[in-house]
Amino acid sequence: MSRIYEALQKAESERKLERREPDLEMPDEPVSAAMTTAVAEPEDPVFATPRFTDAPIVTEPYAEPPARRVTGDSLDLSRIPTRPWALSLPQLPALLERGPAVEQFRSLRSRIFELRDISPLKTILVSSGVPQEGKSFVATNLALSLARHKNSKVLLIDGDMRRYTLHQILGCESHPGLADYLAGKASALEVMQRPEPLEVGAAAAAVPILPNLTFIAGGNGGDKAADLSGSPRFGELIRLASPHFDWIIVDSSPVLPVSDAVNLARWCDGVLLVARGGVTKFPVAQRAQSELKASNILGFVLNAVQETPEIGGYYGYDGYDATAQ
């Protein structure tokens, strides 16, 4: 009887063990729905194994491709072509040895040198609020005044590709010019020009000055002037020429009618704004300054001042006519 009882107990124990085996694979507590949704599947972007594990790891900073770099060594100034110039001397008072106009440009030159002592300054854009304020007159004579100082090498660029007039003041050809370079139709050397040696005569005083002056005419930008002025090729031109010149003067379109000057000013170290005495309204000058607020505005040049400063008598100058101050 005892053996039968022990056999029954053993069988009962084995059945209990068989019932408990599946329970070992289950957790002690039921798994909630929140816990099941938190389990990441293989395609989960957070928990999945990162893709492209064989891609190389970049440890060096990005370097600009060599093809886009422009160095000063690629410009040979000895290859700049020379062309005949017929200077309009009445519009170039900076070529005079003495007089009220030349003294005013010398004063402007001195102010610019003072500014360069404070911060780097080589490329200067000259603009105005509206047309007919004398910006081209100021840009040309400023370039000549700088060229007269210690034989400085000066590059004068006519950046007004809509109404380019600097070639008329210098009496030279207007093509090819800046517009052709920006459009990729000409190289930097092809658009640069220097004057042929001047004969002894009325323009003899200009002989020691003009060999230091290199000129780029405006070309004919026409309706594409806005797009051309925003081209990065202008910045490449400045970087290309900068090592070879002491100063780069850029005459540009007026600020308020078109955006060309704002585009060109991005590549220049400073901006000179020109206002015409007795003509330019104060709100116009304010708006012009506001349009160029992202640039380094060096100051205003007051052009065509008719009043005679009292200090002028000390130097023996009787009057100021069409002068910059």
Side-chain angles (χ1 to χ4, degrees):
M1 186 68 179
S2 59
R3 292 181 180 179
I4 296 174
Y5 179 74
E6 291 175 359
L8 293 174
Q9 281 187 334
K10 184 178 180 181
E12 182 67 16
S13 299
E14 291 176 355
R15 285 195 297 268
K16 290 181 178 180
L17 289 174
E18 292 177 356
R19 288 194 300 268
R20 289 181 181 178
E21 285 179 357
D23 296 339
L24 294 175
E25 299 178 359
M26 301 297 293
D28 295 337
E29 297 180 0
V31 180
S32 64
M35 293 177 63
T36 57
T37 56
V39 177
E41 295 186 1
E43 293 299 324
D44 193 301
V46 178
F47 295 93
T49 303
R51 300 180 180 179
F52 310 109
T53 55
D54 295 334
I57 300 175
V58 179
T59 57
E60 298 181 356
Y62 170 77
E64 189 176 359
R68 295 184 61 84
R69 294 181 180 177
V70 180
T71 60
D73 296 336
S74 59
L75 181 63
D76 185 2
L77 298 187
S78 63
R79 298 173 54 195
I80 296 178
T82 58
R83 298 174 182 172
W85 288 15
L87 303 178
S88 178
L89 295 179
Q91 300 184 66
L92 299 174
L95 294 180
L96 301 175
E97 292 300 324
R98 65 187 304 271
V102 67
E103 286 299 324
Q104 290 301 305
F105 280 107
R106 288 172 180 169
S107 177
L108 176 60
R109 181 183 67 193
S110 299
R111 299 294 186 273
I112 290 176
F113 273 101
E114 292 175 1
L115 293 174
R116 191 171 68 168
D117 292 337
I118 300 175
S119 60
L121 182 62
K122 176 180 287 191
T123 306
I124 301 176
L125 181 133
V126 181
S127 186
S128 61
V130 293
Q132 305 299 322
E133 291 186 308
K135 60 177 182 56
S136 299
F137 167 79
V138 171
T140 306
N141 284 276
L142 174 60
L144 291 173
S145 182
L146 291 170
R148 298 189 66 173
H149 182 75
K150 298 181 180 180
N151 295 324
S152 299
K153 295 181 179 179
V154 179
L155 174 62
L156 175 62
I157 302 176
D158 193 341
D160 190 345
M161 293 174 284
R162 301 172 187 267
R163 297 181 179 179
Y164 42 96
T165 58
L166 296 192
H167 69 284
Q168 297 176 356
I169 300 176
L170 298 177
C172 61
E173 298 179 4
S174 60
H175 295 87
L178 180 63
D180 301 286
Y181 173 82
L182 296 180
K185 299 179 181 179
S187 66
L189 285 175
E190 290 174 339
V191 299
M192 292 182 178
Q193 58 176 296
R194 285 176 172 172
E196 293 180 348
L198 299 178
E199 297 180 357
V200 177
V207 174
I209 304 169
L210 292 183
N212 302 327
L213 180 66
T214 301
F215 176 57
I216 296 179
N220 186 8
D223 296 336
K224 298 180 180 180
D227 295 333
L228 293 175
S229 64
S231 170
R233 283 179 62 85
F234 183 75
E236 295 176 4
L237 175 63
I238 297 300
R239 291 193 296 268
L240 179 68
S242 184
H244 301 280
F245 294 94
D246 300 301
W247 297 96
I248 300 176
I249 306 300
V250 183
D251 180 33
S252 70
S253 304
V255 177
L256 298 184
V258 291
S259 62
D260 303 4
V262 177
N263 294 333
L264 298 179
R266 294 182 301 171
W267 307 103
C268 299
D269 300 323
V271 176
L272 274 178
L273 286 171
V274 178
R276 192 173 188 87
V279 176
T280 304
K281 304 299 182 181
F282 183 70
V284 173
Q286 278 188 319
R287 288 179 56 196
Q289 183 176 0
S290 177
E291 289 292 330
L292 292 164
K293 59 184 177 182
S295 303
N296 177 26
I297 299 180
L298 304 176
F300 274 85
V301 177
L302 186 58
N303 182 45
V305 178
Q306 300 297 331
E307 297 179 0
T308 304
E310 295 180 0
I311 196 173
Y314 178 81
Y315 295 98
Y317 300 143
D318 297 328
Y320 285 67
D321 183 20
T323 62
Q325 146 175 326

